[in-house]
Each structure stands twice: as structure tokens, then as C-alpha cells.
Short mmCIF file of all heavy atoms in Angstrom, two decimals:
data_model
loop_
_atom_site.label_atom_id
_atom_site.label_comp_id
_atom_site.label_asym_id
_atom_site.label_seq_id
_atom_site.Cartn_x
_atom_site.Cartn_y
_atom_site.Cartn_z
N MET A 195 52.24 24.63 126.84
CA MET A 195 52.81 25.56 127.82
C MET A 195 54.31 25.65 127.59
O MET A 195 55.00 24.64 127.64
CB MET A 195 52.52 25.04 129.23
CG MET A 195 52.96 25.97 130.34
SD MET A 195 51.92 27.43 130.51
CE MET A 195 50.45 26.75 131.30
N THR A 196 54.79 26.87 127.39
CA THR A 196 56.23 27.03 127.24
C THR A 196 56.83 27.33 128.62
O THR A 196 56.13 27.69 129.55
CB THR A 196 56.56 28.21 126.28
OG1 THR A 196 56.10 29.41 126.88
CG2 THR A 196 55.93 28.01 124.92
N PRO A 197 58.16 27.18 128.77
CA PRO A 197 58.78 27.35 130.09
C PRO A 197 59.02 28.80 130.47
O PRO A 197 59.54 29.07 131.55
CB PRO A 197 60.11 26.62 129.94
CG PRO A 197 60.42 26.66 128.49
CD PRO A 197 59.11 26.67 127.77
N THR A 198 58.60 29.78 129.66
CA THR A 198 59.02 31.16 129.86
C THR A 198 58.49 31.82 131.12
O THR A 198 59.08 32.78 131.59
CB THR A 198 58.63 32.00 128.63
OG1 THR A 198 57.31 31.63 128.24
CG2 THR A 198 59.58 31.80 127.49
N LEU A 199 57.39 31.37 131.67
CA LEU A 199 56.88 31.96 132.91
C LEU A 199 57.15 31.06 134.11
O LEU A 199 57.00 31.52 135.25
CB LEU A 199 55.37 32.20 132.83
CG LEU A 199 54.88 33.34 131.96
CD1 LEU A 199 53.35 33.36 131.98
CD2 LEU A 199 55.42 34.66 132.46
N GLY A 200 57.48 29.79 133.88
CA GLY A 200 57.68 28.86 134.99
C GLY A 200 56.39 28.60 135.75
O GLY A 200 56.40 28.39 136.96
N ARG A 201 55.26 28.65 135.06
CA ARG A 201 53.98 28.47 135.75
C ARG A 201 53.25 27.19 135.36
O ARG A 201 52.18 26.89 135.88
CB ARG A 201 53.07 29.68 135.50
CG ARG A 201 53.54 30.89 136.31
CD ARG A 201 52.72 32.12 136.04
NE ARG A 201 51.31 31.94 136.31
CZ ARG A 201 50.39 32.84 135.98
NH1 ARG A 201 50.74 33.96 135.39
NH2 ARG A 201 49.13 32.62 136.24
N GLY A 202 53.80 26.45 134.40
CA GLY A 202 53.10 25.27 133.90
C GLY A 202 52.86 24.21 134.96
O GLY A 202 51.78 23.61 135.02
N ALA A 203 53.86 23.99 135.82
CA ALA A 203 53.71 22.95 136.85
C ALA A 203 52.63 23.36 137.85
O ALA A 203 51.85 22.52 138.31
CB ALA A 203 55.04 22.71 137.55
N ASN A 204 52.59 24.65 138.20
CA ASN A 204 51.55 25.11 139.12
C ASN A 204 50.17 24.96 138.50
O ASN A 204 49.21 24.57 139.17
CB ASN A 204 51.78 26.58 139.49
CG ASN A 204 52.93 26.72 140.47
OD1 ASN A 204 52.99 26.01 141.46
ND2 ASN A 204 53.86 27.60 140.17
N ILE A 205 50.07 25.29 137.23
CA ILE A 205 48.77 25.13 136.55
C ILE A 205 48.37 23.65 136.53
O ILE A 205 47.20 23.32 136.76
CB ILE A 205 48.85 25.70 135.11
CG1 ILE A 205 49.04 27.21 135.14
CG2 ILE A 205 47.61 25.33 134.30
CD1 ILE A 205 47.84 27.99 135.62
N ALA A 206 49.35 22.77 136.29
CA ALA A 206 49.04 21.32 136.26
C ALA A 206 48.53 20.86 137.63
O ALA A 206 47.59 20.07 137.73
CB ALA A 206 50.28 20.54 135.84
N MET A 207 49.13 21.40 138.71
CA MET A 207 48.67 21.01 140.06
C MET A 207 47.28 21.57 140.33
O MET A 207 46.44 20.92 140.96
CB MET A 207 49.67 21.47 141.12
CG MET A 207 50.94 20.61 141.10
SD MET A 207 52.03 20.93 142.48
CE MET A 207 52.78 22.46 141.96
N ARG A 208 47.04 22.80 139.85
CA ARG A 208 45.69 23.37 140.00
C ARG A 208 44.67 22.50 139.27
O ARG A 208 43.60 22.21 139.79
CB ARG A 208 45.68 24.80 139.45
CG ARG A 208 44.36 25.49 139.60
CD ARG A 208 44.43 26.89 139.02
NE ARG A 208 43.19 27.60 139.24
CZ ARG A 208 42.96 28.84 138.83
NH1 ARG A 208 43.88 29.51 138.18
NH2 ARG A 208 41.81 29.41 139.07
N ASP A 209 45.03 22.09 138.03
CA ASP A 209 44.14 21.20 137.25
C ASP A 209 43.77 19.97 138.08
O ASP A 209 42.59 19.59 138.17
CB ASP A 209 44.84 20.71 135.98
CG ASP A 209 45.17 21.80 134.99
OD1 ASP A 209 44.60 22.90 135.09
OD2 ASP A 209 46.00 21.53 134.09
N GLY A 210 44.80 19.35 138.69
CA GLY A 210 44.57 18.12 139.44
C GLY A 210 43.70 18.34 140.67
O GLY A 210 42.79 17.55 140.96
N ALA A 211 43.98 19.45 141.38
CA ALA A 211 43.20 19.74 142.60
C ALA A 211 41.73 19.99 142.24
O ALA A 211 40.82 19.48 142.91
CB ALA A 211 43.80 20.94 143.32
N LEU A 212 41.51 20.78 141.18
CA LEU A 212 40.12 21.09 140.80
C LEU A 212 39.40 19.86 140.26
O LEU A 212 38.20 19.68 140.47
CB LEU A 212 40.09 22.24 139.79
CG LEU A 212 40.56 23.59 140.36
CD1 LEU A 212 40.47 24.67 139.29
CD2 LEU A 212 39.76 23.99 141.58
N LEU A 213 40.15 18.99 139.56
CA LEU A 213 39.54 17.74 139.09
C LEU A 213 39.12 16.89 140.28
O LEU A 213 38.02 16.31 140.29
CB LEU A 213 40.52 16.96 138.20
CG LEU A 213 40.01 15.61 137.68
CD1 LEU A 213 38.74 15.79 136.85
CD2 LEU A 213 41.09 14.91 136.87
N GLY A 214 39.95 16.85 141.32
CA GLY A 214 39.58 16.10 142.53
C GLY A 214 38.29 16.64 143.14
O GLY A 214 37.41 15.87 143.53
N ARG A 215 38.17 17.97 143.20
CA ARG A 215 36.93 18.57 143.76
C ARG A 215 35.72 18.23 142.89
O ARG A 215 34.63 17.98 143.41
CB ARG A 215 37.07 20.08 143.84
CG ARG A 215 37.89 20.49 145.03
CD ARG A 215 37.82 21.99 145.22
NE ARG A 215 39.07 22.44 145.82
CZ ARG A 215 39.50 23.68 145.84
NH1 ARG A 215 38.77 24.64 145.31
NH2 ARG A 215 40.62 24.00 146.40
N ALA A 216 35.93 18.26 141.55
CA ALA A 216 34.82 17.94 140.65
C ALA A 216 34.36 16.49 140.86
O ALA A 216 33.16 16.20 140.91
CB ALA A 216 35.25 18.17 139.19
N LEU A 217 35.32 15.58 141.02
CA LEU A 217 34.96 14.17 141.21
C LEU A 217 34.29 13.94 142.57
O LEU A 217 33.44 13.06 142.72
CB LEU A 217 36.21 13.29 141.06
CG LEU A 217 36.80 13.28 139.65
CD1 LEU A 217 38.06 12.43 139.60
CD2 LEU A 217 35.78 12.79 138.61
N LYS A 218 34.64 14.76 143.56
CA LYS A 218 33.98 14.66 144.87
C LYS A 218 32.50 15.00 144.73
O LYS A 218 31.63 14.37 145.35
CB LYS A 218 34.68 15.61 145.85
CG LYS A 218 34.03 15.79 147.19
CD LYS A 218 34.52 14.76 148.17
CE LYS A 218 34.17 15.03 149.63
NZ LYS A 218 32.79 15.29 149.91
N LYS A 219 32.19 16.01 143.89
CA LYS A 219 30.78 16.38 143.68
C LYS A 219 30.02 15.22 143.03
O LYS A 219 28.84 15.01 143.30
CB LYS A 219 30.67 17.62 142.79
CG LYS A 219 31.10 18.89 143.51
CD LYS A 219 30.95 20.10 142.61
CE LYS A 219 31.58 21.32 143.27
NZ LYS A 219 31.84 22.40 142.34
N VAL A 220 30.70 14.46 142.15
CA VAL A 220 30.07 13.28 141.55
C VAL A 220 29.84 12.22 142.63
O VAL A 220 28.74 11.65 142.74
CB VAL A 220 30.96 12.71 140.41
CG1 VAL A 220 30.36 11.43 139.84
CG2 VAL A 220 31.15 13.75 139.31
N ALA A 221 30.88 11.98 143.44
CA ALA A 221 30.77 10.95 144.49
C ALA A 221 29.67 11.30 145.48
O ALA A 221 28.98 10.41 145.99
CB ALA A 221 32.11 10.81 145.20
N ASP A 222 29.47 12.61 145.74
CA ASP A 222 28.44 13.04 146.69
C ASP A 222 27.05 13.12 146.06
O ASP A 222 26.08 13.49 146.73
CB ASP A 222 28.80 14.42 147.27
CG ASP A 222 30.02 14.36 148.17
OD1 ASP A 222 30.40 13.24 148.58
OD2 ASP A 222 30.61 15.42 148.45
N GLY A 223 26.97 12.82 144.75
CA GLY A 223 25.67 12.80 144.07
C GLY A 223 25.16 14.18 143.67
O GLY A 223 24.00 14.33 143.32
N HIS A 224 26.03 15.21 143.69
CA HIS A 224 25.58 16.56 143.32
C HIS A 224 25.63 16.80 141.81
O HIS A 224 24.95 17.68 141.30
CB HIS A 224 26.45 17.62 144.01
CG HIS A 224 26.36 17.57 145.51
ND1 HIS A 224 25.16 17.63 146.17
CD2 HIS A 224 27.30 17.44 146.46
CE1 HIS A 224 25.37 17.55 147.48
NE2 HIS A 224 26.66 17.43 147.67
N LEU A 225 26.48 16.06 141.09
CA LEU A 225 26.62 16.24 139.64
C LEU A 225 26.81 14.89 138.98
O LEU A 225 27.33 13.95 139.61
CB LEU A 225 27.87 17.09 139.32
CG LEU A 225 27.82 18.61 139.48
CD1 LEU A 225 29.18 19.20 139.14
CD2 LEU A 225 26.74 19.23 138.61
N THR A 226 26.42 14.80 137.70
CA THR A 226 26.78 13.59 136.94
C THR A 226 28.25 13.72 136.53
O THR A 226 28.81 14.84 136.51
CB THR A 226 25.95 13.46 135.66
OG1 THR A 226 26.28 14.54 134.77
CG2 THR A 226 24.45 13.46 135.96
N LEU A 227 28.86 12.59 136.20
CA LEU A 227 30.27 12.61 135.78
C LEU A 227 30.43 13.50 134.54
O LEU A 227 31.36 14.31 134.47
CB LEU A 227 30.76 11.18 135.49
CG LEU A 227 32.22 11.07 135.04
CD1 LEU A 227 33.17 11.61 136.10
CD2 LEU A 227 32.56 9.61 134.71
N ALA A 228 29.51 13.37 133.58
CA ALA A 228 29.62 14.16 132.35
C ALA A 228 29.55 15.66 132.65
O ALA A 228 30.34 16.45 132.12
CB ALA A 228 28.52 13.76 131.36
N ASP A 229 28.62 16.06 133.52
CA ASP A 229 28.49 17.49 133.85
C ASP A 229 29.71 18.00 134.60
O ASP A 229 30.19 19.11 134.38
CB ASP A 229 27.22 17.74 134.68
CG ASP A 229 25.96 17.64 133.83
OD1 ASP A 229 26.08 17.67 132.59
OD2 ASP A 229 24.87 17.51 134.41
N ALA A 230 30.21 17.17 135.53
CA ALA A 230 31.38 17.59 136.32
C ALA A 230 32.60 17.77 135.41
O ALA A 230 33.34 18.75 135.53
CB ALA A 230 31.68 16.56 137.41
N LEU A 231 32.80 16.82 134.49
CA LEU A 231 33.97 16.92 133.60
C LEU A 231 33.82 18.08 132.63
O LEU A 231 34.80 18.77 132.33
CB LEU A 231 34.18 15.60 132.85
CG LEU A 231 34.59 14.41 133.72
CD1 LEU A 231 34.79 13.16 132.86
CD2 LEU A 231 35.85 14.70 134.53
N ALA A 232 32.60 18.32 132.15
CA ALA A 232 32.39 19.44 131.21
C ALA A 232 32.69 20.77 131.89
O ALA A 232 33.35 21.64 131.33
CB ALA A 232 30.96 19.42 130.68
N ALA A 233 32.23 20.93 133.14
CA ALA A 233 32.48 22.18 133.87
C ALA A 233 33.97 22.33 134.15
O ALA A 233 34.54 23.42 134.01
CB ALA A 233 31.68 22.20 135.17
N HIS A 234 34.61 21.24 134.55
CA HIS A 234 36.05 21.28 134.84
C HIS A 234 36.82 21.67 133.58
O HIS A 234 37.70 22.53 133.61
CB HIS A 234 36.52 19.92 135.34
CG HIS A 234 37.99 19.83 135.55
ND1 HIS A 234 38.66 20.59 136.47
CD2 HIS A 234 38.94 19.10 134.92
CE1 HIS A 234 39.96 20.32 136.41
NE2 HIS A 234 40.15 19.42 135.47
N GLU A 235 36.47 21.07 132.46
CA GLU A 235 37.18 21.36 131.20
C GLU A 235 36.98 22.81 130.79
O GLU A 235 37.93 23.48 130.37
CB GLU A 235 36.69 20.42 130.09
CG GLU A 235 37.48 20.56 128.82
CD GLU A 235 37.00 19.58 127.77
OE1 GLU A 235 35.84 19.67 127.34
OE2 GLU A 235 37.79 18.71 127.38
N ARG A 236 35.76 23.32 130.96
CA ARG A 236 35.48 24.71 130.58
C ARG A 236 36.35 25.67 131.40
O ARG A 236 37.01 26.56 130.86
CB ARG A 236 33.99 25.02 130.80
CG ARG A 236 33.54 26.36 130.26
CD ARG A 236 32.12 26.69 130.69
NE ARG A 236 31.98 26.64 132.14
CZ ARG A 236 31.13 25.84 132.79
NH1 ARG A 236 30.33 25.03 132.14
NH2 ARG A 236 31.08 25.84 134.11
N ASP A 237 36.39 25.45 132.72
CA ASP A 237 37.19 26.32 133.59
C ASP A 237 38.68 26.19 133.28
O ASP A 237 39.41 27.18 133.20
CB ASP A 237 36.96 25.96 135.06
CG ASP A 237 35.53 26.26 135.51
OD1 ASP A 237 34.82 26.96 134.77
OD2 ASP A 237 35.15 25.77 136.58
N MET A 238 39.14 24.95 133.09
CA MET A 238 40.57 24.70 132.85
C MET A 238 41.02 25.35 131.55
O MET A 238 42.12 25.94 131.49
CB MET A 238 40.80 23.18 132.81
CG MET A 238 42.24 22.77 132.70
SD MET A 238 42.47 20.98 132.88
CE MET A 238 41.58 20.36 131.47
N LEU A 239 40.19 25.28 130.52
CA LEU A 239 40.58 25.88 129.24
C LEU A 239 40.73 27.39 129.39
O LEU A 239 41.63 28.00 128.81
CB LEU A 239 39.56 25.54 128.15
CG LEU A 239 39.61 24.09 127.66
CD1 LEU A 239 38.47 23.83 126.67
CD2 LEU A 239 40.94 23.76 127.02
N ALA A 240 39.85 28.00 130.20
CA ALA A 240 39.91 29.47 130.36
C ALA A 240 41.18 29.88 131.09
O ALA A 240 41.99 30.65 130.58
CB ALA A 240 38.67 29.97 131.09
N TYR A 241 41.42 29.35 132.33
CA TYR A 241 42.60 29.84 133.06
C TYR A 241 43.89 29.28 132.47
O TYR A 241 44.92 29.95 132.46
CB TYR A 241 42.50 29.58 134.57
CG TYR A 241 42.51 28.12 135.02
CD1 TYR A 241 43.66 27.35 134.95
CD2 TYR A 241 41.37 27.51 135.53
CE1 TYR A 241 43.68 26.02 135.37
CE2 TYR A 241 41.37 26.19 135.96
CZ TYR A 241 42.52 25.45 135.86
OH TYR A 241 42.53 24.13 136.26
N GLY A 242 43.85 28.04 131.94
CA GLY A 242 45.06 27.44 131.38
C GLY A 242 45.54 28.18 130.15
O GLY A 242 46.73 28.54 130.04
N PHE A 243 44.62 28.46 129.22
CA PHE A 243 45.06 29.12 127.99
C PHE A 243 45.38 30.59 128.22
O PHE A 243 46.16 31.17 127.45
CB PHE A 243 44.05 28.91 126.85
CG PHE A 243 44.33 27.61 126.13
CD1 PHE A 243 43.60 26.47 126.42
CD2 PHE A 243 45.36 27.52 125.21
CE1 PHE A 243 43.88 25.26 125.80
CE2 PHE A 243 45.65 26.32 124.59
CZ PHE A 243 44.91 25.19 124.88
N SER A 244 44.83 31.20 129.27
CA SER A 244 45.26 32.57 129.53
C SER A 244 46.74 32.58 129.92
O SER A 244 47.50 33.46 129.51
CB SER A 244 44.35 33.23 130.56
OG SER A 244 44.94 33.27 131.80
N VAL A 245 47.20 31.58 130.68
CA VAL A 245 48.63 31.49 131.03
C VAL A 245 49.44 31.08 129.80
O VAL A 245 50.55 31.60 129.58
CB VAL A 245 48.85 30.52 132.21
CG1 VAL A 245 50.34 30.36 132.50
CG2 VAL A 245 48.14 31.02 133.45
N VAL A 246 48.93 30.18 128.98
CA VAL A 246 49.64 29.79 127.74
C VAL A 246 49.89 31.03 126.88
O VAL A 246 51.00 31.25 126.38
CB VAL A 246 48.84 28.73 126.95
CG1 VAL A 246 49.39 28.57 125.53
CG2 VAL A 246 48.87 27.39 127.68
N ARG A 247 48.86 31.88 126.73
CA ARG A 247 49.03 33.09 125.90
C ARG A 247 50.04 34.05 126.52
O ARG A 247 50.87 34.63 125.80
CB ARG A 247 47.67 33.78 125.69
CG ARG A 247 46.82 33.09 124.64
CD ARG A 247 45.57 33.91 124.30
NE ARG A 247 44.57 33.79 125.34
CZ ARG A 247 43.64 32.82 125.39
NH1 ARG A 247 43.58 31.93 124.44
NH2 ARG A 247 42.78 32.76 126.37
N GLU A 248 49.99 34.19 127.85
CA GLU A 248 50.95 35.07 128.52
C GLU A 248 52.37 34.53 128.35
O GLU A 248 53.31 35.29 128.03
CB GLU A 248 50.58 35.13 130.01
CG GLU A 248 51.17 36.30 130.75
CD GLU A 248 50.76 36.25 132.22
OE1 GLU A 248 49.71 35.67 132.57
OE2 GLU A 248 51.54 36.79 133.04
N ALA A 249 52.55 33.22 128.54
CA ALA A 249 53.88 32.61 128.38
C ALA A 249 54.37 32.79 126.94
O ALA A 249 55.55 33.06 126.70
CB ALA A 249 53.83 31.13 128.76
N ALA A 250 53.47 32.65 125.98
CA ALA A 250 53.87 32.80 124.58
C ALA A 250 54.30 34.23 124.28
O ALA A 250 55.28 34.45 123.55
CB ALA A 250 52.70 32.39 123.67
N ARG A 251 53.58 35.21 124.86
CA ARG A 251 53.97 36.62 124.63
C ARG A 251 55.37 36.88 125.18
O ARG A 251 56.20 37.51 124.52
CB ARG A 251 52.96 37.57 125.31
CG ARG A 251 51.75 37.87 124.46
CD ARG A 251 50.99 39.08 125.00
NE ARG A 251 50.42 38.83 126.32
CZ ARG A 251 49.23 38.26 126.55
NH1 ARG A 251 48.48 37.87 125.53
NH2 ARG A 251 48.79 38.07 127.77
N VAL A 252 55.64 36.38 126.39
CA VAL A 252 56.98 36.56 126.99
C VAL A 252 58.02 35.82 126.15
O VAL A 252 59.11 36.34 125.89
CB VAL A 252 56.99 36.07 128.45
CG1 VAL A 252 58.40 36.06 129.02
CG2 VAL A 252 56.08 36.93 129.31
N GLY A 253 57.67 34.63 125.69
CA GLY A 253 58.61 33.85 124.87
C GLY A 253 58.95 34.55 123.56
O GLY A 253 60.09 34.49 123.09
N GLU A 254 57.95 35.21 122.98
CA GLU A 254 58.22 35.95 121.73
C GLU A 254 59.19 37.10 121.98
O GLU A 254 60.13 37.31 121.23
CB GLU A 254 56.90 36.55 121.21
CG GLU A 254 56.13 35.66 120.27
CD GLU A 254 54.91 36.40 119.74
OE1 GLU A 254 55.08 37.31 118.90
OE2 GLU A 254 53.81 36.09 120.20
N ARG A 255 58.93 37.85 123.08
CA ARG A 255 59.73 39.04 123.36
C ARG A 255 61.15 38.70 123.80
O ARG A 255 62.11 39.32 123.37
CB ARG A 255 59.08 39.88 124.47
CG ARG A 255 57.94 40.76 123.99
CD ARG A 255 57.69 41.90 124.98
NE ARG A 255 57.56 41.44 126.34
CZ ARG A 255 56.40 41.10 126.93
NH1 ARG A 255 55.29 41.18 126.26
NH2 ARG A 255 56.37 40.71 128.18
N ARG A 256 61.27 37.71 124.68
CA ARG A 256 62.57 37.47 125.33
C ARG A 256 63.35 36.30 124.76
O ARG A 256 64.55 36.20 125.00
CB ARG A 256 62.37 37.23 126.82
CG ARG A 256 61.80 38.43 127.50
CD ARG A 256 61.90 38.30 128.99
NE ARG A 256 61.15 39.36 129.63
CZ ARG A 256 60.67 39.28 130.84
NH1 ARG A 256 60.86 38.21 131.57
NH2 ARG A 256 59.99 40.29 131.36
N MET A 257 62.67 35.36 124.10
CA MET A 257 63.39 34.14 123.68
C MET A 257 63.22 33.86 122.19
O MET A 257 63.52 32.76 121.73
CB MET A 257 62.92 32.94 124.50
CG MET A 257 63.25 33.09 125.98
SD MET A 257 62.53 31.79 126.99
CE MET A 257 63.60 30.43 126.61
N ALA A 258 62.70 34.84 121.46
CA ALA A 258 62.52 34.71 120.00
C ALA A 258 61.72 33.47 119.62
O ALA A 258 61.97 32.83 118.60
CB ALA A 258 63.89 34.70 119.30
N GLN A 259 60.76 33.10 120.51
CA GLN A 259 59.90 31.96 120.16
C GLN A 259 58.94 32.36 119.05
O GLN A 259 58.57 33.53 118.92
CB GLN A 259 59.08 31.52 121.38
CG GLN A 259 59.92 30.82 122.43
CD GLN A 259 59.09 30.46 123.66
OE1 GLN A 259 57.92 30.85 123.77
NE2 GLN A 259 59.69 29.74 124.57
N ASN A 260 58.51 31.36 118.29
CA ASN A 260 57.49 31.61 117.28
C ASN A 260 56.18 32.00 117.96
O ASN A 260 55.87 31.48 119.04
CB ASN A 260 57.25 30.37 116.42
CG ASN A 260 58.43 30.07 115.51
OD1 ASN A 260 59.12 31.00 115.09
ND2 ASN A 260 58.68 28.81 115.24
N PRO A 261 55.41 32.91 117.37
CA PRO A 261 54.12 33.28 117.98
C PRO A 261 53.13 32.11 117.93
O PRO A 261 53.28 31.21 117.12
CB PRO A 261 53.63 34.44 117.10
CG PRO A 261 54.40 34.36 115.85
CD PRO A 261 55.68 33.62 116.13
N LEU A 262 52.13 32.16 118.83
CA LEU A 262 51.05 31.18 118.76
C LEU A 262 50.29 31.39 117.46
O LEU A 262 50.15 32.53 117.00
CB LEU A 262 50.06 31.38 119.92
CG LEU A 262 50.47 30.91 121.30
CD1 LEU A 262 49.33 31.22 122.28
CD2 LEU A 262 50.79 29.43 121.31
N PRO A 263 49.74 30.33 116.88
CA PRO A 263 48.86 30.52 115.72
C PRO A 263 47.64 31.34 116.13
O PRO A 263 47.17 31.22 117.25
CB PRO A 263 48.44 29.10 115.33
CG PRO A 263 49.28 28.18 116.14
CD PRO A 263 49.87 28.96 117.29
N ARG A 264 47.13 32.19 115.25
CA ARG A 264 45.95 33.02 115.57
C ARG A 264 44.70 32.16 115.57
O ARG A 264 44.54 31.24 114.85
CB ARG A 264 45.80 34.15 114.55
CG ARG A 264 46.95 35.12 114.58
CD ARG A 264 46.92 36.05 115.80
NE ARG A 264 48.23 36.63 116.04
CZ ARG A 264 48.75 36.83 117.27
NH1 ARG A 264 48.10 36.48 118.34
NH2 ARG A 264 49.93 37.38 117.41
C1 FAD B 279 61.16 22.71 127.90
C2 FAD B 279 60.10 22.96 128.97
C3 FAD B 279 60.49 23.48 130.19
C4 FAD B 279 59.55 23.77 131.17
N1 FAD B 279 59.94 24.32 132.35
C5 FAD B 279 59.04 24.60 133.31
C6 FAD B 279 59.45 25.17 134.56
O1 FAD B 279 60.62 25.45 134.80
N2 FAD B 279 58.49 25.38 135.50
C7 FAD B 279 57.17 25.10 135.27
O2 FAD B 279 56.34 25.30 136.16
N3 FAD B 279 56.76 24.56 134.09
C8 FAD B 279 57.67 24.30 133.10
N4 FAD B 279 57.24 23.78 131.90
C9 FAD B 279 55.83 23.51 131.69
C10 FAD B 279 55.43 22.22 132.45
O3 FAD B 279 56.40 21.21 132.21
C11 FAD B 279 54.06 21.73 131.94
O4 FAD B 279 53.13 22.79 131.91
C12 FAD B 279 53.53 20.63 132.86
O5 FAD B 279 54.46 19.56 132.91
C13 FAD B 279 52.20 20.12 132.34
O6 FAD B 279 51.83 19.04 133.18
P1 FAD B 279 50.69 18.05 132.72
O7 FAD B 279 50.63 16.99 133.78
O8 FAD B 279 49.43 18.82 132.41
O9 FAD B 279 51.17 17.44 131.31
P2 FAD B 279 52.47 16.58 130.98
O10 FAD B 279 53.59 16.85 131.95
O11 FAD B 279 52.70 16.82 129.51
O12 FAD B 279 52.00 15.09 131.24
C14 FAD B 279 51.11 14.45 130.37
C15 FAD B 279 51.45 12.96 130.45
O13 FAD B 279 50.43 12.23 129.75
C16 FAD B 279 51.07 11.27 128.94
N5 FAD B 279 50.13 10.98 127.85
C17 FAD B 279 49.84 11.72 126.78
N6 FAD B 279 48.92 11.09 126.00
C18 FAD B 279 48.65 9.94 126.62
C19 FAD B 279 47.78 8.86 126.31
N7 FAD B 279 46.99 8.84 125.22
N8 FAD B 279 47.73 7.82 127.18
C20 FAD B 279 48.51 7.81 128.31
N9 FAD B 279 49.34 8.82 128.64
C21 FAD B 279 49.40 9.84 127.80
C22 FAD B 279 52.37 11.89 128.49
O14 FAD B 279 53.31 10.92 128.10
C23 FAD B 279 52.80 12.62 129.77
O15 FAD B 279 53.53 11.78 130.65
C24 FAD B 279 58.19 23.49 130.92
C25 FAD B 279 57.80 22.95 129.68
C26 FAD B 279 58.73 22.68 128.72
C27 FAD B 279 58.30 22.06 127.41
#
């Protein structure tokens, strides 16, 4: 995550909050730990990398950052 959007800390807090919810489902017996972590990772990769790509685009345009690898 580059600093160009100032959203990395918010995303990190979202990651933590959603991980807490996933672990609650394990504690309540609704999911196994492996299934809960797999679902959490799948969701996190989708919303997290969408912000990473957006931050990288802004960084390229405004701060002459190197582009993300394709
Ligand atoms: C220069 C810069 C400026 C930024 N400015 C902003 C800003 O203004 N606003 C904003 O919202 N975001 C900003 N960001 C982005 C933000 O800092 C990150 O997105 C956020 O800190 C990610 O939090 P995290 O907890 O996921 O990871 P991190 O903050 O990277 O924390 C991961 C931690 O895990 C530790 N770790 C790694 N591997 C291991 C291991 N094997 N065992 C034990 N510990 C390990 C690391 O040492 C680290 O302490 C900036 C980023 C950079 C690089």
C-alpha cells in the first residue's frame, strides 16, 4: 500500500474488524478455523488490492511512482 490515497490505515482496521468477526463464527461453531480464514483472506485480497491498485494509479500520475508489475 502506498501513501498516495491515505487509505492504508483504514483498510488495516477493516482487516482487523473482519478478522474478529470471522473468529467469532469459529468460536460460535458456525465455521472451522480453516474455512473462516480462507473466506477472510479471499475477501481481504479483493477489497485490499482494489485500493492498492487505485493508490498505485494515483502515485503514478501525481508522484512519479513506478507502476505496479502487471
Ligand atoms: C511511506 C508510507 C506512508 C503511508 N502513509 C499513510 C497515511 O498517511 N495514511 C494511511 O492511512 N496509510 C498510510 N500508509 C499505508 C499504511 O501505513 C499501511 O497500509 C498500514 O500500516 C498497513 O497496516 P498493516 O497492519 O496491515 O501492516 P503493517 O503496518 O506493515 O504491519 C505489519 C507488522 O507485521 C510485522 N511482521 C511482518 N512479518 C512478520 C513476521 N514474520 N513475524 C512477526 N511480525 C511480522 C511487521 O514488522 C509490522 O510491524 C503509508 C505507507 C507508507 C509506506
